[in-house]
Amino acid sequence: MEELLEKLRKKIKETRAGGGAKELEKQKSSGKKTARERIDLLLDKESFHELDPFVTSRCQDFGMDRRKFPGDGVVSGSGRIDGRLVFLVSQDFTIMGGTLGEMQANKIAACQDLAIKNRRPFIQILDSGGARIQEGVLALNGYGHIFRRNSLASGLIPQISIMAGPTAGGAVYSPALTDFVFMVEGIGRMFITGPEVIKQVTGEEVSFEELGGARIHNEVSGVAHFALPTEEECFSYVRKLLSFLPANCYELPPVSRSPQDQEAPDENIEALIPVSSEEVYDIKEVIHRIVDHQDFLEVQAFFAPNAVIGLARLAGKVVGIVANQPLIMAGVLDIDSSDKIARFVRFCDAFNIPIINLVDVPGYLPGTDQEHKGIIRHGAKILYAYSEATVPKISLILRKAFGGAYIALCSQGMGFDYILAYPTASIAVMGAEGAVNILFRKEIREAVDSEKFRREKEKEYQEKFSHPYYAASYGLLNAIIDPRHTRQELIRVLEDLSAKKEERASKKHGIPPC
Ligand code: HXC
């Protein structure tokens, strides 16, 4: 027996050696942690339970018969984060560049299956050259197994991807199918084809970083949701994100063990929001004043910053916040912010997280650029997402709520459960200037003093719509509140809606605009 145990110990030691000392050194010198160090940093101490460590590639072609590594370039298993079970994989770049062949794919898929069957979150730490060229169609088919499981797990369990190295080719689509993509600055990169292929095909020269670094995917493409300067900070942020999420769609998000009490009215909140809608302010300052412990985990902070989305707690309970940001493009809704809001709303709904909208929005962005790029279908995503959502949906109108953006974010017709407004709220089809130009085009042209006439009509329009009482008189607002009581009011409304049940007709699935 001792002999057999010695053999087992030797085999286990081999699995820990990755691609060998030289490759491990290379990994370190390129500023990256090893696959196993990453797992240790992410999970609770000594909670990792490894799966399939002895799996190796079956490929015999292109010299692969001489390059067999136990684990086949990925470490997989289960572990705990704040005591809660998760399943995870961590690619090992020291083994053939973390590339994915048939057996690596089987390992990842087996781990996904366990996450799905046990209804527990799935996390993947990626560092890979993509499909292992030597394994041809078996590698490509392997991605098929992973993508299908990502799709089937969507909305069932939270799925999180961490880009901690290159993720090339097929390796990028699994993250794109997951709920949150984290990128470590300077090392995390995502691209379908690398700079060399791009140069060959199009003649274009681009660096890895400019092609698919953390900045590009967080600011420009919208593929990623978070960018963190170091791996340590990244893993700690992933842990924080998970603290807001339930393990699956059948559970409620964890309630905080240290909720903040409903304290006295906030005398300072009013000063943050100028009465004149011409003046701007930072909605994030308002959010911080409202939520527990000023703790707001912003999602996609750098993409479409004219909308702000993220997770927070109110009296200990998790909420999803969707807000317009008057500081950027007056908080207007455009293509990117529509995509950003719609996806977040669907995420919150899937995982039983009530949604609170903080509305101050002049409408959908006009212009040929937006029209031709499809603001109609992108804007429709928000309508679809809110209509589909059955979690409590609360809207607070701070100032402007105009046109299509009013319908999308705070109209009773769209099925919001509770709509509140500040006395500064103004609800209209459009702003006074635009409305008067349309309604009185002929009269303005023919008036003796066109400017005076226009001003009078604008004043008339504003008197009718630049307050919340017109909408309230039709029952389209449920309460007009003193801004100083915002936090208390929202907590009360959340309590009123805490047992909300809303059924939908059974069907195979809807067909959201995309
Ligand atoms: C096989 C690969 C590989 C691949 C890298 N390697 N990519 N082996 N298949 N796809 C190997 C390298 O040959 C090398 O092996 C080891 O991994 C480390 O790679 P290096 O190039 O030395 O490392 P580095 O300089 O850090 O560059 C990493 C890299 C680069 C940026 C990932 O290797 C690269 O550009 N690889 C190709 C990426 C790519 O185009 N993938 C797409 C595959 S097609 P040795 O033995 O020397 O250590 C695909 C199909 C799906 O995925 C497409 C759907 C859209």
Side-chain angles (χ1 to χ4, degrees), residues 385-397:
Y386 279 114
S387 307
E388 179 188 52
T390 56
V391 288
K393 295 177 285 191
I394 301 160
S395 280
L396 168 62
I397 308 172

Side-chain angles (χ1 to χ4, degrees), residues 26 67 93 96-97 99 129 131-134 140 168-170 192 208:
K26 205 170 139 197
R67 303 186 75 193
F93 193 81
M96 291 175 282
T99 51
R132 190 175 296 156
I133 296 164
Q134 299 90 325
L140 298 178
I192 291 178
F208 279 112

Side-chain angles (χ1 to χ4, degrees), residues 60 77 94 112 127 154 178 181 217 265 269 354 411 445 453 494:
Q60 302 290 329
T94 68
Q112 288 177 289
D127 189 358
S154 176
T178 61
V181 176
H217 286 307
I269 197 164
S411 69
R445 213 185 308 126
F453 180 81
L494 268 175

Side-chain angles (χ1 to χ4, degrees), residues 416-430:
F416 287 97
D417 298 299
Y418 213 104
I419 305 162
L420 306 117
Y422 283 169
T424 41
S426 162
I427 303 164
V429 174
M430 60 179 72

Side-chain angles (χ1 to χ4, degrees), residues 356 392-395 417-420 478-479 481 486-499:
I356 296 179
K393 295 177 285 191
I394 301 160
S395 280
D417 298 299
Y418 213 104
I419 305 162
L420 306 117
N478 303 107
I481 62 164
T486 307
R487 179 175 154 78
Q488 291 85 344
E489 290 283 351
L490 289 174
I491 289 171
R492 260 183 235 138
V493 173
L494 268 175
E495 271 165 22
D496 285 353
L497 297 172
S498 60

Side-chain angles (χ1 to χ4, degrees), residues 210-247:
E210 275 306 304
L211 176 63
R215 191 191 69 80
I216 293 296
H217 286 307
N218 274 273
E219 269 181 48
V220 184
S221 74
V223 168
H225 302 82
F226 300 97
L228 278 308
T230 64
E231 293 197 42
E232 284 86 347
E233 285 162 280
C234 187
F235 297 128
S236 127
Y237 225 74
V238 170
R239 292 173 62 95
K240 179 162 184 190
L241 172 64
L242 278 169
S243 75
F244 286 96
L245 307 183

